[in-house]
Amino acid sequence: MPRDPTPSSFSHRHLLGIEDLSPDDINLLLDLADSYVALNRRAEKKRDLLRGRTQINMFFESSTRTRTSFELAGKRLGADVINMAPSTSAIKKGETLVDTAATLNAMHPDLLIVRHPDSGAVKLLARSVRAAVINAGDGSHEHPTQALLDALTIRRRLGRLSGLTVAICGDIAHSRVARSNILLLNTMGARVRLVAPPTLLPTRVDRYGVEVHHDMTEGLKDADIVMMLRLQTERMQGSFVPSQREYFQFYGLTYEKIAHARSDALIMHPGPMNRGIEIDSEVADDINRSAILDQVEMGVAVRQACLELLTGNLDHPEHNQ
Ligand code: NCD
């Protein structure tokens, strides 16, 4: 059962990236999230931990899973949740992000959940508000709650993170999910392999402390987890692969390719999936191997844990400059 808020050792004012978190922070978040999974499976899901608090979701990029799960997480904890739609907001009239932040700040929200197409934009916004800010994805930089929900999914299925071999495959270059996962998995002692064509790897990939493969057969060999990523064409200028058909042939996850991983390897995908491009439909729907819908379930629990821990720090004197 999620407990009443107690002074915790989670000292952060915002959640902007995995790069700011220690192994203790990550374990604390995952342990708390674990207790929310059970609560979310009950008929009565509501608590009043965030009663009186206001949460504003500001999504400057489209989202299904992340926005809905932050909304559910806030509502299940008793917060008043508002969804700001940038397409109908003053941003469209030329207002800057910082002016929008100052405007919202004047209404005294407690939690701002922000997704933005530009890397670094969420950090910039966090500097001009009193609310706790959660990065729900900034450009190709970070998506910390996705890495946390992936870690919770793995931990619940395989009992640990440390020592596992995780193959992250596909468009790594444009993926904030990959970046946050690499940081988290390295911090928690897992071994990370990136599997992608050279055009879809980030520049200076040697800095990431991972193994790099261009071939799925080698990259998937004996992997415990196979994490697939979408081709993020909205972040590409020009074409990065010869054709989607060819991409599927070399990098699409099929039963033939997964046979190189461990026989009980878990298949993961943050969604949205493009069936027939990075993953074969049958593989994606394989109830024995695919953890894709588990990931969605864990998303709500992880976001509840983040909201709880950050709200607990809101009235901290050091955070009220
Ligand atoms: C990811 C994202 O937005 O970065 N999706 C998600 O949050 N579940 C991955 C993607 O868009 O491909």
Side-chain angles (χ1 to χ4, degrees), residues 185-253:
L185 292 164
N186 274 344
T187 304
M188 301 309 279
R191 272 190 300 273
V192 181
R193 287 190 198 149
L194 304 183
V195 192
T199 48
L200 292 179
L201 282 168
T203 47
R204 305 260 341 261
V205 70
D206 50 301
R207 286 176 309 176
Y208 288 71
V210 294
E211 259 179 57
V212 176
H213 295 270
H214 301 309
D215 180 85
M216 289 285 270
T217 308
E218 280 171 29
L220 263 50
K221 194 170 180 331
D222 299 328
D224 297 285
I225 309 284
V226 180
M227 198 181 277
M228 301 307 298
L229 298 171
R230 178 177 68 91
L231 285 177
Q232 292 171 61
T233 45
E234 75 275 23
R235 292 187 219 293
M236 295 179 188
Q237 270 146 15
S239 175
F240 283 63
V241 292
S243 74
Q244 292 188 341
R245 212 163 59 164
E246 214 167 341
Y247 181 78
F248 180 72
Q249 190 190 334
F250 288 104
Y251 293 99
L253 190 67

Side-chain angles (χ1 to χ4, degrees), residues 43-228:
E44 175 54 62
K45 300 169 182 59
K46 211 147 160 142
R47 305 190 70 216
D48 59 6
L49 204 66
L50 299 192
R51 196 176 156 161
R53 299 293 192 179
T54 307
Q55 171 185 332
I56 305 183
N57 296 337
M58 303 168 71
F59 279 65
F60 297 90
E61 251 188 14
S62 54
S63 171
T64 304
R65 282 151 275 267
T66 308
R67 200 193 56 72
T68 313
S69 60
F70 268 116
E71 183 169 355
L72 274 179
K75 286 184 170 164
R76 286 184 184 169
L77 294 180
D80 292 314
V81 184
I82 288 168
N83 291 303
M84 205 193 86
S87 57
T88 55
S89 74
I91 299 267
K92 278 273 174 217
K93 300 181 182 169
E95 188 173 70
T96 66
L97 183 64
V98 171
D99 283 339
T100 303
T103 304
L104 292 175
N105 192 46
M107 300 181 200
H108 300 285
D110 301 288
L111 292 149
L112 291 177
I113 318 300
V114 189
R115 167 170 286 193
H116 199 281
D118 298 337
S119 304
V122 182
K123 190 171 189 173
L124 181 74
L125 184 143
R127 289 217 294 254
S128 38
V129 294
R130 283 197 55 224
V133 175
I134 301 183
N135 180 3
D138 63 326
S140 41
H141 177 228
E142 277 231 44
H143 189 355
T145 56
Q146 179 70 43
L148 288 162
L149 76 87
D150 289 339
L152 184 61
T153 306
I154 297 172
R155 216 180 69 162
R156 285 176 63 98
R157 287 276 198 132
L158 301 181
R160 68 199 161 102
L161 294 165
S162 168
L164 296 177
T165 299
V166 184
I168 306 179
C169 314
D171 183 2
I172 321 271
H174 301 98
S175 176
R176 51 196 177 208
V177 175
R179 215 182 115 75
S180 290
N181 262 302
I182 293 167
L183 291 167
L184 187 148
L185 292 164
N186 274 344
T187 304
M188 301 309 279
R191 272 190 300 273
V192 181
R193 287 190 198 149
L194 304 183
V195 192
T199 48
L200 292 179
L201 282 168
T203 47
R204 305 260 341 261
V205 70
D206 50 301
R207 286 176 309 176
Y208 288 71
V210 294
E211 259 179 57
V212 176
H213 295 270
H214 301 309
D215 180 85
M216 289 285 270
T217 308
E218 280 171 29
L220 263 50
K221 194 170 180 331
D222 299 328
D224 297 285
I225 309 284
V226 180
M227 198 181 277
M228 301 307 298

